[in-house]
Structures are given as C-alpha cells and as structure tokens.
Amino acid sequence: MKEYLLEKKVWTENDFEKMGWHDCNIYGLIFQNTNTDNKYTTDLIFDIDYIFKWVSPIPPKLNFSFWVSPCSLIFTDAFALTIDIDRRGGTTDLLEIEDLYLIDKIEQEKNKWIYEWSIDLQEGKINFKSSGFKQIVRQNPIFTESQALTLNQRNGINFDIK
C-alpha cells in the first residue's frame, strides 16, 4: 500500500469539524502543569492512536484496514474534569473512544474561548472544559489491519508535545 499523505502535523480546535475520534484507542492520560507569565494552568494530555482513514475491504476481504498514527491530544488549560469509567465488565483492552463531542463554546473575553468537551468511551465518559486543543502527530500514519498499533509500532507510550 502506498504512503498516506498527511495534511499537517498539528491539528487544533479549528479543525474539529473535519476530525473524528471514533474507535481511537487511549493508551494513557496525564496532567501537565504549565506556568506562563506566573499563571499556572493544567493541560490534559492523552496518548492515542488516531485513525486518519478507514479503508474499505476489497472482496474477497471482509474487514476494514486503517491508516493509524500515534498522537498526543492536548487540551490546554483544562478544568471542571469528571471521569466516569466502569471496567467491571472484564475487558482488559485499551480505553476506546466512541466519539469526542464539543458540547459548548463560550467567549470568555474578546477572542478568548472556553470549550466544553465530552469524550464518550465504550466504557464510560470523560467531561471537562479547556481553552482549546492541539493534536500532535508523532509519526506518519501506518497502514494496518487493526485500529490500534502495537507498542513497538508506536514506539511505546508517549506524551511528547513537540
């Protein structure tokens, strides 16, 4: 299969309408404290496999293939966080995103926005507010039969924001 042409390496809330996180897997999340001009904030960072493209099967093949890349999904100045995840069903898989929703967008000051997000998971929900997001593509997409890369393919778990 030929190489996937990546449109850009950094995506933001301005790209939200053309993005989709359905079936993307979460490897972990961290809280990163930042200090800008003596103002302390916390970024919420997810290590995910982002599915850039679903490839329809060509008969006699029955299953989809995917172009997948490890990405750091960073929600800047995150607050009002609630996490409700129930893994009692016995699953040991990664957390899988059902969808990511923009619930509300409010102009706090002139050209300064607060976004309210909901990440629906197969196993629960994560809700929070932030001043926006950046999704950083850490390596070019890989063509695979799976929606999740192996740790070797994605160079381990990583929260790199560069």
Side-chain angles (χ1 to χ4, degrees):
M1 194 106 224
K2 58 185 175 182
E3 186 175 342
Y4 182 85
L5 295 176
L6 191 60
E7 184 178 333
K8 55 186 168 180
K9 290 276 193 183
V10 179
W11 301 74
T12 71
E13 66 277 353
N14 296 324
D15 302 304
F16 178 78
E17 291 299 322
K18 56 182 165 179
M19 299 178 76
W21 289 265
H22 178 69
D23 284 353
C24 292
N25 286 279
I26 299 173
Y27 288 81
L29 64 97
I30 62 169
F31 304 98
Q32 177 72 46
N33 294 326
T34 57
N35 178 1
T36 306
D37 299 326
N38 288 325
K39 179 184 173 200
Y40 292 90
T41 60
T42 301
D43 295 340
L44 176 58
I45 306 172
F46 293 89
D47 180 13
I48 66 170
D49 278 347
Y50 186 78
I51 302 170
F52 277 96
K53 184 173 182 173
W54 294 55
V55 180
S56 297
I58 299 171
K61 191 175 166 187
L62 300 174
N63 298 325
F64 280 82
S65 302
F66 310 91
W67 285 99
V68 181
S69 182
C71 294
S72 296
L73 178 57
I74 305 140
F75 291 92
T76 52
D77 306 326
F79 64 99
L81 172 71
T82 62
I83 299 175
D84 183 11
I85 299 172
D86 187 347
R87 302 287 305 247
R88 290 179 287 186
T91 182
T92 57
D93 293 337
L94 298 167
L95 291 176
E96 185 177 295
I97 299 173
E98 175 63 33
D99 213 339
L100 191 155
Y101 298 100
L102 174 58
I103 305 299
D104 201 5
K105 177 181 174 183
I106 299 168
E107 191 169 22
Q108 186 179 31
E109 297 172 17
K110 179 99 171 133
N111 295 320
K112 183 173 179 177
W113 298 90
I114 297 296
Y115 300 86
E116 183 176 353
W117 307 100
S118 179
I119 301 175
D120 287 359
L121 305 170
Q122 300 296 344
E123 310 85 353
K125 187 176 284 221
I126 303 171
N127 293 309
F128 55 93
K129 296 178 181 181
S130 76
S131 63
F133 78 79
K134 285 191 303 188
Q135 182 167 293
I136 299 171
V137 181
R138 296 196 310 262
Q139 68 186 51
N140 287 330
I142 296 170
F143 185 73
T144 179
E145 301 295 317
S146 173
Q147 295 169 325
L149 301 175
T150 66
L151 286 178
N152 190 42
Q153 287 174 309
R154 64 189 323 278
N155 297 315
I157 296 172
N158 190 325
F159 297 98
D160 192 7
I161 58 174
K162 296 176 185 164

